[in-house]
C-alpha cells in the first residue's frame, strides 16, 4: 500500500508518508527521559516469560496485548532495544518515534487538487440516470459494480457490522449518522501533539464519531452511506459502520493501535474490516534483509509477527479482512528496489533489494487479506495501482484522474471517487470557508447538502486503492447480509472463507489488455509506470478474479465448499 494511505498515498518517495510502527505515549503525558517501545515476543513464549525478559533488558511494561504477544514498554536505558533483540524470548523492540507531519495534500489521493487549472480537463463526467440520492449520479463506481441494482435485492442488514480501520469517522454527517454504531466503535490512537497538532480534548483521545484526518470518513461513506434521499449512498446502505481509529489525525498508522483495532474487531465479532493503509517505516518489512542493521531487522520481524498474529486472530473470530493493494504502481510479486525506507527516524533512506520470499507489504500481503486493485471509469487499471498475480484478489473502482485520454473527461475530478468528508478537514485544506460555504473554484470538487433543519453534509473526490477497497468491503457486507446465518450463540454472520470465495466467484471476469505491457505514456507517466498483465481471463495480475459485482453477489447462491 503506499505510504500514508494505501489508497490515497503512495508507497515511495513520491507519496505521502503514513506510518505503522509503535504508538507513542499520549501527548498529555509528563515529560520523561524514558523512551517508549513496542516489543513482540517469540512464538510459544508465555506473557510472564516475555515480561521477565523485558525487565531483564531494563524495560517496564505499561500495557500488553497477550493475544498477539505484544507489549508497550518504557525504558531509560540507551541499550534497551539491543538487549531486547538479543533476548531469546523476544523477537525485537521498535522505538516509538515521532515521524513528522503528513503533507497538506496527498499526491495520489488528491492529485486533482495539485493539478493546475490549465492541466485539468473541461468535461463534467458521464450523465447517469436518476438514482436514489441526489449525488448518486456522480458515483460511477456504484454503477460499474451494479450496486445500484443490488440494493433492490439486498440493501444490507443492520446486524452486519463493518469496521473502518482508519483515521476515524465523522458521524455528524447526515449520510453516516443513521448507520453509525456507537456501541462498538473505539479510538485506539491518541493524538500525538508533535504530528497531530494540539489535542482537542484533555485526554488527547478524540471521542468516537469524529475524524480530523478525513480519510476514514471517505472510506466509510463508500461502504455504507445511507440511502435516505440525501447526499449520496454507499454500496451497502443499510449495514452498520464501526469506527476503529487506528490512524493518527495526520495520517500516520502505528503498529500498536492497528493491532489493537484488529483484536477488538475479533473480540466483538465484526463481520468485515476495511484496511486502507500500510505499515511504516518500511515499504516492505523483511525478515533479514542484508542491507539492514541487526536492530532494523529485528524491528521488521516484530512488525511482521505482530501483524500476522493480529490478522489471524481477527480472521479466526469471523472477520472478513479487506485491504487496499497500494499505490506504488508496482508488481508485488516482483518488487522494485526500495529506496524510500526507512521513511523516518535517525537513519536516512537507503537502497534495499527486496527478496519477495522474505519481505511483506503489510497488511495487504498478510494472511487472510483480500487485496484490491484500483480501476478508473474506463475499467483500465489506474496508473498508480499496485498489481500482480501473487497478491491481486479482485479489482474495484478506485478512481483515476487521468482516465479518458483523448476525451473531454481526461484529467477531470469526475473520474475519481466522491464520498463523505468532514467539514473541518475541508476548511483546513482551504476548499470550505469559516462559514461552511464552498470556496470559489472548488464547486466541482466539493459538494454541500443541507437538510431543512440546517444539518449539512460535505462530500469530496479522492482516488486510490484506498477508495477501491471500501467498494469491496461493501460488497462483502452485502454477501453476509444476503447469505449469512444465525449461529448457536444467537449472533448472525458468515465464515470469512465463504465470503471470500463468493466474492471471487461472482466477480466480473476481465481479460488483460492487449498488448499486455500496459504503457501510461499518453497519460504523462514515465516507463516506471509500465505494467505487465500476466494471467488469463479467470485470473490475472490486474483484476485478480475480476471486478467485483454486487448484483451477482446477492443474486447468486452461495457454494460453501467450492473454491474459485
Amino acid at each position: 500500500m503506499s505510504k500514508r494511505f494505501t489508497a490515497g498515498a503512495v508507497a515511495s518517495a513520491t507519496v505521502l508518508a503514513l506510518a505503522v510502527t509503535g504508538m507513542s505515549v499520549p501527548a498529555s503525558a509528563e515529560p520523561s527521559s524514558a523512551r517508549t517501545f513496542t516489543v513482540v515476543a517469540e512464538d510459544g513464549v508465555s506473557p510472564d516469560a516475555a515480561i521477565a525478559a523485558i525487565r531483564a533488558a531494563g524495560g517496564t511494561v505499561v500495557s500488553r496485548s497477550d493475544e498477539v504477544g505484544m507489549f508497550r514498554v518504557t525504558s531509560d536505558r540507551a541499550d534497551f532495544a539491543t538487549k531486547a533483540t538479543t533476548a531469546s524470548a523476544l523477537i525485537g523492540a521498535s522505538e516509538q518515534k515521532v515521524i513528522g507531519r503528513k503533507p497538506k495534500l496527498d499526491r495520489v489521493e488528491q492529485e486533482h487538487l495539485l493539478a493546475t487549472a490549465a492541466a485539468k480537463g473541461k468535461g463534467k463526467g458521464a450523465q447517469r440516470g436518476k438514482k436514489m440520492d441526489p449525488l448518486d449520479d456522480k458515483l460511477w463506481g456504484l454503477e460499474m459494480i451494479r450496486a445500484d441494482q443490488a440494493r433492490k435485492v439486498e440493501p444490507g442488514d443492520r446486524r452486519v457490522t463493518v469496521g473502518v480501520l482508519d483515521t476515524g469517522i465523522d458521524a455528524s454527517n447526515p449520510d453516516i449518522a443513521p448507520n453509525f454504531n456507537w456501541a462498538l466503535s473505539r479510538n485506539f490512537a491518541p493524538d500525538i501533539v508533535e504530528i497531530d497538532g494540539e489535542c482537542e480534548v484533555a485526554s488527547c483521545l478524540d471521542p468516537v464519531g469524529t475524524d480530523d484526518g478525513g480519510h476514514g470518513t471517505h472510506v466509510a461513506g463508500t461502504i455504507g452511506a445511507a440511502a435516505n434521499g440525501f447526499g449520496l449512498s454507499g454500496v451497502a446502505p443499510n449495514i452498520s459502520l464501526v469506527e476503529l481509529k487506528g490512524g493518527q489525525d495526520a495520517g500516520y498508522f502505528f503498529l500498536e493501535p492497528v493491532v489493537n483495532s484488529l483484536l477488538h474487531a475479533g473480540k466483538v465479532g465484526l463481520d468485515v474490516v476495511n484496511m486502507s493503509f500500510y505499515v511504516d517505516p518500511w515499504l516492505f518489512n523483511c525478515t533479514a534483509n542484508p542491507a539492514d542493521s541487526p536492530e532494523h531487522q529485528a524491528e521488521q520481524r516484530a512488525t511482521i509477527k505482530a501483524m500476522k498474529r493480529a490478522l489471524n486472530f481477527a480472521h479466526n473470530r469471523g472477520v472478513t479482512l479487506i485491504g487496499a493493494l497500494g499505490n506504488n504502481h508496482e508488481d508485488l510479486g516482483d518488487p522494485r528496489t526500495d529506496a524510500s525506507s526507512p521513511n523516518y527516524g535517525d537513519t536516512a533512506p537507503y537502497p534495499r533489494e527486496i527478496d519477495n520470499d522474505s519481505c511483506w507489504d503489510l497488511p495487504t500481503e498478510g494472511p487472510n487479506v483480500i487485496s484490491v486493485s484500483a480501476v478508473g471509469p474506463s475499467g483500465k487499471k489506474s496508473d498508480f495501482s499496485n498489481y500482480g498475480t501473487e497478491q491481486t484478489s479482485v479489482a474495484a473502482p478506485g478512481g483515476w484522474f487521468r482516465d479518458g485520454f483523448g476525451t473531454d473527461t481526461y484529467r477531470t475530478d469526475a473520474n475519481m471517487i466522491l464520498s463523505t468528508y468532514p467539514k473541518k478537514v475541508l476548511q483546513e485544506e482551504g476548499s470550505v470557508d469559516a462559514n461552511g460555504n464552498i470556496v470559489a473554484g472548488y464547486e466541482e470538487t466539493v459538494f454541500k447538502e443541507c437538510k431543512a433543519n440546517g444539518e449539512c453534509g460535505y462530500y469530496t473526490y479522492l482516488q486510490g486503492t484506498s477508495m477501491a477497497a471500501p467498494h469491496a468491503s461493501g460488497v462483502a457486507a452485502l454477501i453476509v447480509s444476503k447469505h449469512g446465518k444465525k449461529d448457536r450463540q444467537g449472533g448472525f454472520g458468515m465464515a470469512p472463507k465463504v465470503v471470500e470465495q463468493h466474492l471471487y466467484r461472482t466477480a466480473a471476469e476481465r481479460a488483460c489488455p492487449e498488448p499486455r505491457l500496459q504503457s501510461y505514456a499518453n497519460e504523462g507517466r514515465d516507463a516506471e509506470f509500465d505494467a505487465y498483465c500476466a494471467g488469463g481471463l479467470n485470473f490475472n495480475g490486474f483484476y485478480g478474479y475480476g471486478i467485483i459485482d454486487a448484483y451477482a453477489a446477492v443474486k447468486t447462491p452461495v457454494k460453501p465448499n467450492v473454491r474459485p
Side-chain angles (χ1 to χ4, degrees):
M1 293 294 80
S2 288
K3 225 173 157 65
R4 299 333 106 207
F5 299 109
T6 231
V10 157
S12 69
T14 61
V15 202
L16 309 174
L18 271 185
V20 182
T21 59
M23 181 179 71
S24 298
V25 295
S28 58
E30 292 297 321
S32 170
S33 60
R35 296 177 295 162
T36 303
F37 300 84
T38 297
V39 179
V40 179
E42 286 282 7
D43 288 335
V45 173
S46 70
D48 288 345
I51 291 171
I54 290 169
R55 289 173 176 166
T60 300
V61 174
V62 295
S63 70
R64 51 196 280 186
S65 300
D66 290 354
E67 297 89 347
V68 294
M70 184 179 72
F71 306 86
R72 191 194 309 177
V73 176
T74 58
S75 178
D76 57 6
R77 292 190 57 145
D79 61 350
F80 172 76
T82 300
K83 285 183 171 293
T85 298
T86 58
S88 61
L90 306 175
I91 296 176
S94 174
E95 185 177 356
Q96 300 167 359
K97 304 172 184 176
V98 170
I99 301 165
R101 291 184 182 275
K102 172 187 165 215
K104 186 174 182 181
L105 296 177
D106 184 301
R107 294 183 184 179
V108 173
E109 285 188 351
Q110 298 172 304
E111 180 184 3
H112 61 311
L113 299 182
L114 295 169
T116 63
K120 296 186 70 171
K122 307 303 181 184
K124 302 294 184 180
Q127 294 299 310
R128 294 172 177 83
K130 182 177 177 59
K131 304 296 181 181
M132 188 172 294
D133 288 354
L135 296 176
D136 281 2
D137 63 347
K138 303 180 186 302
L139 305 185
W140 58 268
L142 291 190
E143 187 174 290
M144 174 180 282
I145 67 171
R146 300 201 291 175
D148 52 344
Q149 299 177 51
R151 68 182 51 172
K152 298 173 184 177
V153 178
E154 177 57 73
D157 188 309
R158 191 72 67 204
R159 294 173 294 178
V160 175
T161 50
V162 180
V164 180
L165 206 174
D166 218 293
T167 58
I169 299 178
D170 178 11
S172 69
N173 187 297
D175 265 328
I176 298 293
N179 294 343
F180 190 76
N181 188 313
W182 292 92
L184 297 180
S185 294
R186 297 288 187 277
N187 178 357
F188 295 98
D191 286 348
I192 302 171
V193 171
E194 293 87 347
I195 58 175
D196 297 319
E198 293 301 318
C199 298
E200 290 84 1
V201 294
S203 67
C204 289
L205 190 69
D206 293 339
V208 297
T210 62
D211 179 11
D212 294 332
H215 192 265
T217 300
H218 198 280
V219 166
T222 295
I223 296 169
N228 53 4
F230 177 90
L232 51 73
S233 58
V235 174
N238 281 9
I239 54 86
S240 295
L241 294 166
V242 178
E243 174 186 336
L244 300 174
K245 189 177 189 301
Q248 303 302 133
D249 296 346
Y252 297 98
F253 286 74
F254 296 93
L255 179 62
E256 186 177 334
V258 169
V259 167
N260 286 332
S261 295
L262 288 168
L263 295 181
H264 176 71
K267 290 175 182 177
V268 302
L270 300 190
D271 294 291
V272 181
V273 167
N274 186 92
M275 301 176 292
S276 292
F277 59 88
Y278 99 86
V279 183
D280 286 313
W282 306 95
L283 176 57
F284 289 90
N285 282 275
C286 304
T287 56
N289 194 309
D292 299 331
S293 69
E295 291 76 18
H296 284 158
Q297 290 178 358
E299 174 185 316
Q300 292 170 68
R301 286 196 297 270
T303 296
I304 292 167
K305 186 66 69 174
M307 283 298 296
K308 287 186 174 182
R309 288 172 179 170
L311 292 167
N312 281 327
F313 179 88
H315 172 81
N316 292 336
R317 294 293 188 96
V319 182
T320 296
L321 300 164
I322 308 288
L325 196 60
N327 303 324
N328 201 39
H329 55 277
E330 183 164 29
D331 182 346
L332 289 182
D334 185 21
R336 297 189 300 269
T337 297
D338 173 22
S340 65
S341 302
N343 54 33
Y344 73 91
D346 300 329
T347 304
Y350 54 88
R352 306 162 70 223
E353 295 294 327
I354 299 301
D355 171 32
N356 189 52
D357 293 331
S358 61
C359 300
W360 285 268
D361 182 354
L362 295 167
T364 196
E365 291 191 304
N368 305 305
V369 177
I370 298 168
S371 301
V372 188
S373 65
V375 300
S378 68
K380 187 175 179 179
K381 184 187 81 69
S382 306
D383 58 3
F384 53 78
S385 180
N386 285 347
Y387 59 98
T389 55
E390 180 180 282
Q391 206 57 46
T392 307
S393 303
V394 289
W400 184 24
F401 179 65
R402 302 186 187 210
D403 204 354
F405 177 77
T407 74
D408 62 359
T409 63
Y410 175 59
R411 297 179 67 92
T412 57
D413 298 353
N415 287 334
M416 302 172 74
I417 303 298
L418 184 69
S419 189
T420 47
Y421 213 67
K423 177 178 72 173
K424 176 183 177 182
V425 180
L426 291 170
Q427 289 174 324
E428 291 172 350
E429 293 175 353
S431 56
V432 170
D433 65 22
N435 296 319
N437 299 314
I438 298 171
V439 173
Y442 288 93
E443 295 88 351
E444 297 298 324
T445 298
V446 176
F447 300 88
K448 175 183 178 181
E449 296 276 314
C450 296
K451 291 185 172 182
N453 64 3
E455 292 181 3
C456 297
Y458 291 81
Y459 310 83
T460 195
Y461 288 104
L462 295 178
Q463 68 176 8
T465 57
S466 284
M467 284 65 250
H471 282 85
S473 293
V475 175
L478 291 180
I479 290 171
V480 179
S481 297
K482 180 63 176 178
H483 306 293
K485 305 293 183 184
K486 291 183 178 180
D487 58 32
R488 294 179 180 179
Q489 289 73 41
F492 180 83
M494 192 171 178
K497 279 298 181 185
V498 179
V499 176
E500 179 182 5
Q501 291 171 17
H502 195 66
L503 184 70
Y504 296 167
R505 193 164 64 90
T506 58
E509 294 178 341
R510 190 175 181 97
C512 287
E514 291 294 345
R516 285 176 176 259
L517 182 60
Q518 182 70 66
S519 169
Y520 295 93
N522 286 337
E523 290 82 9
R525 299 300 195 186
D526 61 29
E528 185 181 273
F529 283 78
D530 289 356
Y532 182 82
C533 183
L537 176 62
N538 176 257
F539 181 84
N540 60 65
F542 280 11
Y543 304 102
Y545 287 102
I547 297 175
I548 56 171
D549 187 332
Y551 183 68
V554 299
K555 287 288 287 184
T556 305
V558 169
K559 295 181 179 179
N561 298 319
V562 176
R563 293 192 63 80

